[in-house]
Amino acid sequence: MDRPPLAKRLKRFLRYLLVRAALALVHPLPLGLAGWLGVRFGALAFLLAGGERRKALKSLARAFPEKSEAERLTLARAAFRHLGAAMFEVGCTAALDRELKQRVTWPESERRVLEEALARGKGVVFVSGHVGNWELLARRVASEGFPCQSIAKETSDPRLTALVARFRQRGGVRSIWRGQEGAARHMLRALKGGEILGLLIDQDTKVQSFFVPFFGELAATPRAAADLALRTGAAVVVGFCQRQEAGDYLLTMRDVPLPSGEDREEAALALTAALSRHIEEAIRRTPEQWVWMHQRWKTRPSGEPSTLASRGSAPVPAR
């Protein structure tokens, strides 16, 4: 692999130093103070990051055309503030781990959904999105002793990737990086071992995808979760960790049945569409808690003929 240009390497190094400095500053703070600072940081980012602000407003206009410009501006500002708070809370690891079970409520009825899915003995494909605080979702589940692994994309800087991996590992969540050798085998092995395998499928990334409806428009949506579940017979659960009015978080979970009576490709499409619907419903519950600055609809299907359009092929190889 070619070495990146010097300017890019310097930029990555400076970004890494900035992240390390921010973590050193936030780490010892109480959670409440960290969240308060994060809100202010998000508000400042909304003012200064004009490009990201414009992306958020463009996405909100597509998702909520019925809202006024003023309403969408308020939502965008709230999304930046929420994301800032969530980032600072995650960085405050010392207090976070002490207060995790108090800060993140997991009702018995919601926990039972996951327990019943695991009891089927084929592992669980756990699907979520960048809604609320997805890092706390995985950490809270792992804190109860459930075996968890997550599939994630490496950052452009291996040092930042290592930071993320260490953070998750300390919380009991192991990472499977998409680019690592044997990643698909690790995913299959986790499910065969009865573990929980977490995937976020609400972003347009360079992976095998289906185009399924998302806020009324077709959006390229990763198909790996559906392919893994259909191949292995694993249970499928969608879950979210969303901030409540009091400032704490609530876990919600739903079992998603596997489609039956269809061929594998049609079943994968139907399941991906169902999972995307659940994510959209979660976003609609708390629209200020999604990453609207992500360009969710940037990839378009040729001619946009139907939801049957797909990009790439199934990511799960033969054994």
Side-chain angles (χ1 to χ4, degrees):
M1 183 181 295
D2 293 335
R3 196 177 190 192
L6 178 61
K8 183 172 285 188
R9 283 184 279 131
L10 285 173
K11 182 179 178 181
R12 289 177 180 176
F13 181 64
L14 290 173
R15 182 175 58 186
Y16 172 73
L17 290 180
L18 180 62
V19 170
R20 289 300 302 263
L23 287 174
L25 173 67
V26 173
H27 177 77
L29 298 178
L31 269 178
L33 178 56
W36 183 87
L37 288 173
V39 167
R40 271 66 195 170
F41 177 84
L44 182 62
F46 179 78
L47 293 174
L48 299 180
E52 299 304 306
R53 182 178 66 248
R54 286 188 289 274
K55 289 177 187 176
L57 289 170
K58 183 178 179 180
S59 295
L60 283 162
R62 297 181 80 154
F64 298 111
E66 73 282 3
K67 292 186 181 295
S68 68
E69 288 187 15
E71 288 174 318
R72 293 195 291 264
L73 187 66
T74 297
L75 262 180
R77 184 181 294 108
F80 274 77
R81 289 160 62 94
H82 164 77
L83 185 58
M87 290 170 55
F88 275 55
E89 288 166 347
V90 166
C92 191
T93 51
L96 174 63
D97 287 335
R98 285 196 306 270
E99 303 177 30
L100 183 63
K101 293 183 180 181
Q102 291 73 42
R103 290 276 182 169
V104 184
T105 302
W106 191 4
E108 182 59 33
S109 59
E110 307 298 320
R111 176 172 173 149
R112 197 176 305 122
V113 172
L114 185 58
E115 290 175 335
E116 290 174 356
L118 283 168
R120 298 172 202 168
K122 294 187 176 182
V124 171
V125 173
F126 194 104
V127 175
S128 191
H130 296 81
V131 189
N133 195 319
W134 53 97
E135 292 288 351
L136 294 191
L137 167 62
R139 209 172 184 89
R140 181 68 175 87
V141 171
S143 74
E144 297 291 346
F146 293 100
C148 299
Q149 297 197 51
S150 66
I151 301 172
K153 181 182 182 298
E154 302 93 330
T155 69
S156 58
D157 187 336
R159 290 164 298 201
L160 288 180
T161 299
L163 272 181
V164 173
R166 286 197 296 271
F167 167 77
R168 291 176 179 166
Q169 183 72 40
R170 284 196 296 268
V173 182
R174 289 167 290 156
S175 297
I176 299 175
W177 302 103
R178 288 205 314 245
Q180 75 182 64
E181 185 178 353
R185 290 194 300 274
H186 287 298
M187 298 176 202
L188 293 170
R189 190 178 301 124
L191 294 174
K192 186 177 180 180
E195 296 188 41
I196 299 166
L197 188 62
L199 301 92
L200 304 177
I201 67 164
D202 63 332
Q203 293 199 339
D204 186 345
T205 57
K206 294 179 181 179
V207 297
Q208 295 85 1
S209 302
F210 280 120
F211 288 94
V212 300
F214 186 72
F215 283 89
E217 291 196 49
L218 295 181
T221 304
R223 57 179 290 173
D227 285 323
L228 283 165
L230 290 166
R231 177 185 176 118
T232 63
V236 180
V237 172
V238 291
F240 306 95
C241 177
Q242 291 172 275
R243 190 187 300 275
Q244 305 301 292
E245 288 186 7
D248 293 339
Y249 289 90
L250 175 69
L251 291 194
T252 57
M253 297 182 181
R254 296 291 180 272
D255 180 79
V256 181
L258 297 180
S260 59
E262 304 172 64
D263 67 29
R264 180 70 66 84
E265 192 74 1
E266 290 175 345
L269 170 63
L271 183 53
T272 302
L275 294 170
S276 184
R277 250 187 336 267
H278 281 287
I279 293 172
E280 180 181 331
E281 289 167 1
I283 295 170
R284 287 185 181 277
R285 288 196 296 271
T286 56
E288 76 284 357
Q289 295 184 32
W290 193 62
V291 286
W292 292 103
M293 58 290 297
H294 173 68
Q295 295 178 286
R296 184 67 183 91
W297 298 275
K298 65 182 175 182
T299 304
R300 309 311 309 146
S302 300
E304 301 193 2
S306 73
T307 56
L308 283 172
S310 65
R311 180 178 68 191
S313 57
V316 183
R319 291 181 190 272

